[in-house]
Amino acid sequence: MADGVSPLVWKEEREISFMSKCHKAMKEKGLDTKLRNTVFHWVRTQNKQSKLDPLTSLTKASVQWEKRIHKSLNSMCSDLETSLAKFRFQSELEELAEKWNELSTYNLDLSKYRPVYAPKDFLEVLITLSGYVPFTKEDEPKWEFAHLPLQVKTLDQLRKIYIEWSNGEPLLGVSPNMPSQVNDFPTLEAERIGLGERVAALGYAPVIQEYLKRGSPQCLRAKLWAQVLGAEVSAQQISYFNQLKRSVLEVDLMIDKLIFKDVQLTASNDDQYFVFEDLLYQVMLCFSRDCEVMQQLRGSTGTPLTVAIKGRQTSADSVTVFPPSGIIPFHGFTMYATPFCYLYDDPVQLYFMFRAFYLRYWHRLHYISTHPQGIVSLCLLYERLLESNEPLLWIHFRNINVNPGHLPPEQLLLLWDSILGYDCLEILPLLSLAILSFRKENIFQVNTLQNVDAVLADLSTISVIPLLQLALMKP
Amino acid sequence: MTSSAKICTNGATSNGLKKRLHFCSDFDRSIVINTFLRHGWKEVSPEGDWNIYWSNTLNCRNLFMENRHRLQDNQLINHFPNHHELVRKDLLVKNFNRYRKELERNNHPLAEKIQVRDPSGRTVTRYLYLDFIPTTYILPTDYNLFLEEYRKSPQTTWILKPCGKSQGAGIILINKLSQLKKWSRESKKYLQHQLTSKDTYVISRYIDNPLLIGGKKFDLRIYVLVTSYRPLKAYMFRNGFCRFCSMKYDKSLTELDNVYVHLTNVSVQKHGEEYNESHGGKLGIQNLKLYLQGTRGSDVTKRLFEDIQWLIVHSLKAVAPVMLNDRHCFECYGYDIIIDTDLKPWLIEVNASPSMVGTTENDRILKNRLVDNILSVVLPPNGIPDARWNKTPSSDALGDFDVLIDEDLIYKDNIAQLARETGQGPMRK
C-alpha cells in the first residue's frame, strides 16, 4: 500500500493537513478574527477619492478658507507678541509634567485668546460657496446649496440604507422596555445585552457594525465601539500616547492656549461634563501633536503651515508642522471628545477612540470638498430634504448642524451608535430635519431669527432615535 | 404641571366651596414658597389657619410640645416631632445598632454575619446584609470602646463630627491618637460649662477609598419622602445628584486637613477657589448611572442602586419603632451617601431640612420639581390636606418619586396571597 502512494499525492495531503492545522490553530488563537478585522479596517481607510476635487470652485473656497485661518492665527500671534511654536523652559516643562493629571490647576492667562473660528463662521463660508447669493424677499426661501452639481440621496434612498429603521424594527433607543420578540428575554434591552455579549465575544468588526444599527446597551458600548473602529489599546498605543505627551511638554504651541480655552468654554462649565475636565485637556493637547492624524487624512484636509520652533536655533529638528495633526481646533471642538468620557476613564483609551471617530467621521464636517459624506453634500442633503418634505418650513434657518453639546450624553451615544452602525453621517441632516418638523408648530409661531434659535436651542428633552425612526418610516 | 393644576382647581372647587388653601413657611425666598404660590395657595403666619406648615425643625418641635391638640384634620406639617432619632448622628447609630441586635436575637436571616479580612489583614465579623454605616462611636460615652478599636487597626483614619451641627461645621480628620487627645483637651477648655447635646460627638471610620470620577471625590444627595412610619411609607426621588469636591482627592497626610479635598458639602465647597457657579459641582444621578454602566457594566451598577434603596429602607425601619407617628406629619430627608471603589454605598448621614435653595439653573429646576412632587404625594386626590386619608397616592401623583416601601401594600398583597393559597380569594372562581 505504501508503495502505491505517489510522493506528489503524499505532499499534497501533507499540505492540506498543514493548511487545515494552520487554519485551526489560527482560529483557536483568535488570529483569524484579527486578520479579518485588519483587512476590514485597512479597506475602510483607503481613500477612494481622486486627488483633485472635480469642482474647482470648491477647491478654491477651501484654499481661501485655510488661508484665512492661517492669517488669523498669525495676526493673533503678533497681537499677543508670542510665537506659534517655541520650546518650553525647563521650569515650565516641569510644572506642566507635574500637573499633567490635574491640568485644570495649570494657571494660564487666557483672557486675550479667542477661538480662531466658530462653526457659524464656517457656515457663512459654506453659504457663499459659489460667490452667488440669490436675491429674494425677506420671507421667501433662499436656496443656498441647490445650484451645486452634487448628487445627494433622497429620503426614499435613505430609507433603503436605514432599512431596519424604516421597516419599524424595534430599536433600543426607542423603547428599551418593550417585550422582547425573542423568547428567552423579558425586554428588548435584555435581548440586546444578550446578543451584544455574544457579538463582543466574537469580536468580528463587520458583525459588530451590523449589531450597532439597532443600538448598543451602554454597558457594552465601550468595548463594541473600540472593536468596530479598531481602536483597542495595547502597549504600542500606550507608548505612542506617552510620546505625544512628551511632545506637548517640550514644545509650546500657540494653539495649546486655544485648546485650554476651548475645554474651559465647553466642558468646564457644563454640568454634564465638568467632572471630566482634566481628562479632556490631556486628550485634546495630545491630539494636536499627532502627526498620524495628518498622514491618514492626507487629501481630505488642507496643507498646514510649517513653522520654526523658537528657542533652539542650532538644532535640526526645530521646524514643525503647525500643528503636527494639521487640525486647527474651532470653538466647541472638545465636544467631539466629551461623550467618550461616559465610556472610558483611561485617557489612552479615550484618546484612541476620539481619534478614530474623528478620522473616520468628524473631519468631514470641517473641510470643503465634494465628498458624499462631506459637509457640503450634507448641507445640500439637508436643504433637499427640507424642500421636498417640509416646504413650508423653509425659513432662513442657518443652524445646519445640531450643536452636539446641547443633546444630553445618553442621546448622543445612541446617535453615535447609528453613525458607526450605518457608517455614514447622513443621519445628521436627517436629524436636523426631524427636529425642525417636530418643533414646527413652535417655529411657525415665532417670526424672528433669534426666536427660531430659541425654539431650537434647548434640545435637552429630545429623544433622537424615535424622532429619526418616525422620519424614516413611511407615512 | 398637570399635578399643580389638579391641586389648585380641586382644592378650590370641592364641596362647592370657594375655599382657598393656606400655607405657612419658616423660610423666606425659597423654592417652597414659590411652589405654593404657583399652586394658588395663600401665605399665612404660624398663628394663622394654615393647611400645610413648612417649618424649621425647632418650630415644629415647639409646636408639638406646646399645643398638640390644636392640629386639625386638614393640617399637615413637614417634620415628625422626634425626627432627630434619624437625623442626629449619635441617635441614628444607637437606633441602628439596636435594630440589628433585635434581628439577631430573633435569629432573623437578615442578621446573618460573616468573617471578612480588613485592609490590615485582621479577621473581623460583619453583618452580611446590614453593614452600611461606617463603624461609629459616640464620644465621650464610648471613648474606651473607641480606644480598643483604634488599637486594633491603627492605620485607619477617623472622622470626628459634632452631633448637633450640619453643613460640614466642626469636622476634623484624625489618624493619630495624639490628635484626638489634643482636640479633647482644647475643646474641654471651652465646653466644660455647658453640657448640652452639642457636646456629643461621633467618631466614624473614614471611607478612605471613595469612588473617584475624574480624580475627584463626591457624595450622593438623595431625597427620601416619608409620609408614615407605622405602616412605613417611603418614596425615593429619582433625580438626586452627586456633589463633587473641587480639588483632586489626595489621601496623603499633608492634605488631611484640606476641606476642599475631603468634604463634599456645597456650603464648604462654595468658599473654595475652584468652585464653579454654573454647575456648582453637581452631576445628575442619571449621568452617574450612565457613566458607571459605560465604564463598569450594567450588573454592578444595578446592584449599587439596589443597595442604595436597601440602605435607605433599613435605616428607616431601624427608627420606625421609636418615631412618634403623628398622622399630620410628613418629612423629606436628604440622604448623604458615599460610594467606595468596590461600588458599595455607605450611609454618612441624614438631613431633615435639606437645602431648598437652587444653586444653579438645573438645581432650581430639580428642587421645584421635588417640592411639586412632595405636595402631590402628601395630598389626597381632592387636593385638600387630610390627616385621616390612607396615604396611598396614585401612580400619577408620584411624579418623579418611586415607592421605596409601602407596608400597607405589602400587607394587602400578603392577604391576597394568603386568600389565594387557602382558596378563599377572588382568584379562584
Side-chain angles (χ1 to χ4, degrees), chain A residues 101-102 104-105 193 218-219 222 268-272 274-278 341-345 409-410 413, chain B residues 213-214 216 244 247-248 274 276 278-279 281-284 287-291 293-298 362:
Chain A
N101 289 318
E102 209 176 347
S104 52
T105 62
I193 292 177
Q218 169 73 354
C219 57
S268 312
N269 290 322
D270 188 301
D271 63 358
Q272 331 213 45
F274 72 93
V275 209
F276 309 114
E277 185 184 0
D278 288 329
C341 297
Y342 278 94
L343 298 177
Y344 309 102
D345 44 16
E410 193 173 10
L413 294 169
Chain B
I213 300 180
K216 286 170 184 153
F244 277 82
M247 288 176 71
K248 287 258 155 163
E274 309 286 334
N276 179 305
S278 62
H279 53 69
K282 291 175 180 174
L283 181 83
N287 281 334
L288 171 71
K289 206 181 223 174
L290 191 70
Y291 169 81
Q293 283 170 341
T295 56
R296 301 284 194 111
S298 65
N362 280 343

Side-chain angles (χ1 to χ4, degrees), chain B residues 317-335:
Chain B
K317 281 189 158 188
V319 299
V322 296
M323 278 289 181
L324 293 171
N325 190 42
D326 193 292
R327 296 198 61 92
H328 300 91
C329 303
F330 66 91
E331 199 156 33
C332 176
Y333 302 104
Y335 269 73

Side-chain angles (χ1 to χ4, degrees), chain A residues 159 470-475:
Chain A
R159 283 180 176 133
L470 212 63
L472 281 166
M473 279 166 73
K474 282 194 180 139

Side-chain angles (χ1 to χ4, degrees), chain B residues 109-154:
Chain B
L110 276 182
E112 191 181 325
K113 286 183 167 180
I114 48 156
Q115 307 272 324
V116 290
R117 213 169 262 273
D118 77 356
S120 62
R122 188 165 60 103
T123 306
V124 286
T125 310
R126 295 218 188 286
Y127 286 90
L128 182 53
Y129 305 110
L130 297 172
D131 177 41
F132 50 73
I133 298 183
T135 312
T136 296
Y137 298 95
I138 299 158
L139 296 184
T141 331
D142 296 341
Y143 186 69
N144 288 331
L145 285 174
F146 165 72
L147 272 190
E148 201 179 308
E149 179 66 25
Y150 178 89
R151 292 197 176 111
K152 280 186 208 154
S153 51

Side-chain angles (χ1 to χ4, degrees), chain A residues 35-74:
Chain A
L35 193 65
R36 285 199 224 178
N37 281 344
T38 308
V39 173
F40 174 80
H41 296 310
W42 182 80
V43 170
R44 297 216 313 175
T45 52
Q46 294 313 295
N47 204 337
K48 281 176 223 106
Q49 227 188 349
S50 58
K51 285 218 168 105
L52 284 174
D53 225 307
L55 280 181
T56 45
S57 66
L58 289 197
T59 318
K60 235 168 90 186
S62 177
V63 171
Q64 270 173 358
W65 168 241
E66 199 177 15
K67 267 191 191 152
R68 226 178 101 186
I69 292 180
H70 291 165
K71 206 177 142 196
S72 142
L73 277 172
N74 276 315

